[in-house]
Coordinates of all heavy atoms in Angstrom, one line a residue:
G205 N -9.2 159.9 81.1 CA -10.5 159.3 80.9 C -10.6 158.0 81.7 O -9.7 157.7 82.5
E206 N -11.6 157.2 81.4 CA -11.9 156.0 82.2 C -10.7 155.0 82.0 O -10.3 154.4 83.0 CB -13.2 155.3 81.8 CG -14.4 156.1 82.2 CD -15.7 155.3 82.1 OE1 -15.6 154.2 81.6 OE2 -16.7 155.9 82.5
K207 N -10.2 154.9 80.8 CA -9.1 153.9 80.6 C -7.9 154.2 81.3 O -7.3 153.4 82.0 CB -8.9 153.8 79.1 CG -7.9 152.7 78.7 CD -7.7 152.5 77.2 CE -6.7 151.4 76.9 NZ -6.6 151.3 75.4
T208 N -7.5 155.5 81.3 CA -6.2 155.9 82.0 C -6.5 155.8 83.5 O -5.6 155.4 84.2 CB -5.8 157.3 81.6 OG1 -5.6 157.4 80.2 CG2 -4.6 157.8 82.3
A209 N -7.6 156.3 83.9 CA -7.9 156.2 85.4 C -7.8 154.8 85.9 O -7.2 154.5 87.0 CB -9.3 156.8 85.7
S210 N -8.4 153.9 85.2 CA -8.4 152.5 85.7 C -7.0 151.9 85.6 O -6.6 151.1 86.5 CB -9.4 151.6 84.9 OG -9.1 151.6 83.5
S211 N -6.3 152.2 84.6 CA -4.9 151.7 84.5 C -4.0 152.2 85.6 O -3.2 151.5 86.1 CB -4.3 151.9 83.1 OG -4.1 153.3 82.9
L212 N -4.2 153.5 85.9 CA -3.4 154.0 87.0 C -3.7 153.4 88.3 O -2.8 153.0 89.2 CB -3.6 155.5 87.1 CG -2.9 156.4 86.0 CD1 -3.4 157.8 86.1 CD2 -1.4 156.4 86.1
L213 N -5.0 153.1 88.6 CA -5.4 152.5 89.8 C -5.0 151.0 89.9 O -4.6 150.5 90.9 CB -6.9 152.6 90.0 CG -7.4 154.1 90.4 CD1 -8.9 154.2 90.2 CD2 -7.0 154.4 91.8
L214 N -5.0 150.4 88.7 CA -4.6 149.0 88.7 C -3.1 148.9 89.0 O -2.7 148.0 89.7 CB -4.8 148.4 87.3 CG -4.4 147.0 87.0 CD1 -5.2 146.0 87.9 CD2 -4.5 146.6 85.6
K215 N -2.3 149.9 88.6 CA -0.9 149.8 88.8 C -0.5 150.3 90.2 O 0.4 149.7 90.9 CB -0.2 150.7 87.8 CG 1.4 150.7 87.9 CD 2.0 151.4 86.7 CE 3.5 151.2 86.8 NZ 4.2 151.8 85.6
Y216 N -1.1 151.4 90.7 CA -0.7 152.0 91.9 C -1.6 151.8 93.1 O -1.2 152.0 94.3 CB -0.5 153.5 91.7 CG 0.6 153.8 90.7 CD1 0.3 154.2 89.4 CD2 1.9 153.7 91.1 CE1 1.2 154.5 88.5 CE2 2.9 154.0 90.2 CZ 2.6 154.4 88.9 OH 3.6 154.7 88.0
G217 N -2.8 151.3 92.9 CA -3.7 150.9 94.0 C -4.8 152.0 94.4 O -5.9 151.7 94.5
D218 N -4.3 153.2 94.7 CA -5.2 154.2 95.1 C -4.7 155.6 94.7 O -3.6 155.7 94.2 CB -5.5 154.2 96.5 CG -4.3 154.4 97.4 OD1 -3.3 155.0 97.0 OD2 -4.3 153.9 98.6
L219 N -5.5 156.6 94.9 CA -5.2 158.0 94.4 C -4.0 158.5 95.2 O -3.1 159.2 94.6 CB -6.4 158.9 94.6 CG -6.3 160.3 94.0 CD1 -5.9 160.2 92.5 CD2 -7.6 161.0 94.2
T220 N -3.9 158.2 96.5 CA -2.7 158.7 97.3 C -1.4 158.2 96.7 O -0.4 158.9 96.5 CB -2.9 158.2 98.7 OG1 -4.0 158.7 99.3 CG2 -1.7 158.7 99.6
A221 N -1.4 156.9 96.3 CA -0.2 156.3 95.7 C 0.1 156.9 94.3 O 1.3 157.0 94.0 CB -0.3 154.8 95.7
I222 N -1.0 157.2 93.6 CA -0.8 157.8 92.3 C -0.1 159.1 92.4 O 0.8 159.5 91.7 CB -2.1 157.9 91.5 CG1 -2.7 156.5 91.1 CG2 -2.0 158.8 90.3 CD1 -4.1 156.5 90.6
C223 N -0.6 159.9 93.3 CA -0.1 161.3 93.5 C 1.4 161.2 94.0 O 2.2 162.0 93.6 CB -1.0 162.1 94.5 SG -2.6 162.5 93.8
R224 N 1.6 160.2 94.9 CA 3.0 160.1 95.4 C 3.9 159.7 94.3 O 5.0 160.2 94.2 CB 3.0 159.0 96.5 CG 4.3 158.8 97.2 CD 4.3 157.7 98.2 NE 3.2 157.8 99.2 CZ 2.3 157.0 99.3 NH1 2.2 155.8 98.6 NH2 1.3 157.2 100.3
A225 N 3.5 158.8 93.4 CA 4.3 158.4 92.2 C 4.6 159.6 91.3 O 5.7 159.8 90.7 CB 3.7 157.3 91.5
A226 N 3.5 160.4 91.1 CA 3.7 161.6 90.2 C 4.7 162.6 90.7 O 5.4 163.3 89.9 CB 2.3 162.2 90.0
T227 N 4.8 162.7 92.0 CA 5.7 163.7 92.6 C 7.1 163.2 92.8 O 8.0 163.9 93.2 CB 5.2 164.3 93.9 OG1 4.9 163.2 94.8 CG2 3.9 165.0 93.7
D228 N 7.3 161.9 92.6 CA 8.6 161.2 92.8 C 9.3 161.1 91.5 O 8.9 160.4 90.6 CB 8.3 159.8 93.4 CG 9.6 159.0 93.6 OD1 10.7 159.6 93.3 OD2 9.6 157.9 94.0
P229 N 10.3 161.9 91.3 CA 11.0 161.9 90.0 C 11.7 160.5 89.7 O 12.0 160.2 88.5 CB 12.1 162.9 90.2 CG 12.3 163.1 91.7 CD 11.0 162.8 92.3

Side-chain angles (χ1 to χ4, degrees):
E206 290 194 355
K207 186 175 180 181
T208 301
S210 62
S211 64
L212 287 170
L213 287 165
L214 179 65
K215 184 171 185 177
Y216 296 103
D218 60 26
L219 189 53
T220 299
I222 291 170
C223 292
R224 188 183 303 121
T227 57
D228 179 1

